[in-house]
Amino acid sequence: MARADQGRVAASAAAFPPTSLLLEKGAPLLWIGPGLLVFFVFVHLPIILQLAMSFTAGAPGSGEGLKFIGLANFRTLIADADYWASIVNNVWFAVATVIGKLVLSLALALALNSAFVGQNIFRTIFFLPVILSFVAIGVIWGFMFQYDYGAINQLLTRLGLTFLVRDWLGDPRFALWSIVVVDIWKWTGFHMVIYLAGLQALPRELQEAASVDGASATQRLFHITLPLLSRYTATNVVIATLGAFSVFDLIYVMTQGGPFGSTQVAMMQVYLQAFQFHRLGYASTQATVLLAIIAIVSILVMRFSRRPEDEDGAR
Amino acid sequence: MTLAENGQAAVAAGSAPATARRRPRGYQKRGVLPWHLNLVRFIILVMAAAGVIFPILVFLGNSLKTDGDFLANPLGWPRSFAFGNYVEAWQMANMSVLILNSLVVSLVTVALTIALTSMMAYGLVTYRFRGRNVILLSVLVMLTIPVQIYIIPLYVIAINLQIVNTRLGVILPYTAAAMPLALVLFRNYFLELPAALSEAARLDGCSRFGIYWRIIMPLSRPAIGAVAIFTFVSAWNEFFLALVFLQNKAIQTLPLGMQVFAISEYQTNYPLLFSAISIGMAPMIVVYLLMQRQFISGLAGGALKG
């Protein structure tokens, strides 16, 4: 931020003599127009349309047009037990993955923070799952959890812990939690890197002063390190929560929402309603509710963690 | 924090701390954990790393077994290496087509995102005009909204533009989805380039586009790199839009093709399925291992800025 003030490219704008008023007025459009057009058609417009489609019924793809039906979709939604069951699952999924990712990533970041040999290797390993696709991860872990040949049950059997052997993905009691484990496995390295960046930015003087004053390592962690990391925690919470409420790929690949709907989540319902049952209007209503959840969560967390640099950064 | 500093902060863990920090380093030596706690820390790290690596290693091991070997010994190391699995999987899952499709889609998405967004950021930084902040904010607000959420109207729009089941049908939404974060990165970077450079170029008779093309873009390699990496990784791995938009087998991308193969092969021949998935993962893992610093700062650094 330091150099931003002296070095504005914008400052040079005035230096250009206005060749022709029309050209000068139109120039920004030439630069911004193409990108804005793509963004408008593929992001702004869909979101506006989605809000509108929430009040309609019909399937535009099949020649049948959309017709306005008022709040009927919302009434259907309120009475839709499957939808609420998927929301409940999704909330559990969100709570478990957010807590799991945060705690583990913070622990790993603290363990990795001070320099030692091999640190780079650990970081590279922890981050590896982030770059893998959910399809590959779904197949890898689908095999891990497989009942007969899966590595987890095999390992438990070899260790003599046969009483712990479960049909991880086939038992409604465990399926969602098994997927929670996979999602945490994939993203912990990502959140860890964000925490590491936060730890690197900490003023060491404070820690030093506290330790001179006789604060224990635990006290320093809870009274100095964690409060100073709150901005990074907020970033992590937002990213993990958004991910949790739009989770789809992993569940589609691993369980397709089964067994007995125990891993149904909000996005899975939207997909089923829209692309299996062709109820585009109703599916839009479901997606709109999801959009509202995501918007509320991100606004709340960002409000809560507003940082002073943002003010001049956004203007 | 500048992007460069940011990247360093994310990466610096490996390298020595900045030289200016002599004194705090002394503190570190004093405040360093006693050796037994250090050992505990090391053991925790090793166990965590094993937890991350174990599924991948078992998986790779099984991809090299014959079907019989796998059924008899699903956990151990292969008794003999059945590299033939890979050849067979490559052909059966049509890997060359899938990888080529994914490459085309991802690279075009990266190129479009960089071109459109850097121009947009340059326009927003260089000109003052009414509605500038509205445009900027209207893009940035979408930073946190995943594509999946607006898949249905997107589908309707794509039908009307007749780009469903074409490569463009996924490339354009991928590009749009990458734009908010790319715009943040480019804009922040451009704002920190010294104005004197553009001034000098202008006095030498350089046009606006000349300044953008010859001065700004070459200086912005770190930002371009970060945008390229996160756009490439997300386009390469994207599954949901591809599932909805690409029914035509000839243009399906890698994740979709792997999923189709997984469904058809799951109960019949595990090692073959594992080989196919391993082939599919390999390109990204290789590139990651070669450029892990850039990957980690490109993927996580963006989140810090956004």
Side-chain angles (χ1 to χ4, degrees), chain A residues 28-53:
Chain A
L29 201 67
L30 286 178
W31 288 100
I32 297 168
L36 194 61
L37 180 70
V38 170
F39 195 77
F40 181 78
V41 172
F42 293 99
V43 179
H44 284 143
L45 192 59
I47 287 179
I48 298 166
L49 265 180
Q50 166 133 303
L51 299 177
M53 282 175 72

Side-chain angles (χ1 to χ4, degrees), chain A residues 262-282:
Chain A
S262 60
T263 57
Q264 276 293 347
V265 287
M267 235 5 256
M268 199 72 199
Q269 282 287 313
V270 173
Y271 175 77
L272 288 178
Q273 293 293 347
F275 300 108
Q276 304 283 312
F277 309 143
H278 304 288
R279 296 167 72 186
L280 292 195
Y282 182 50

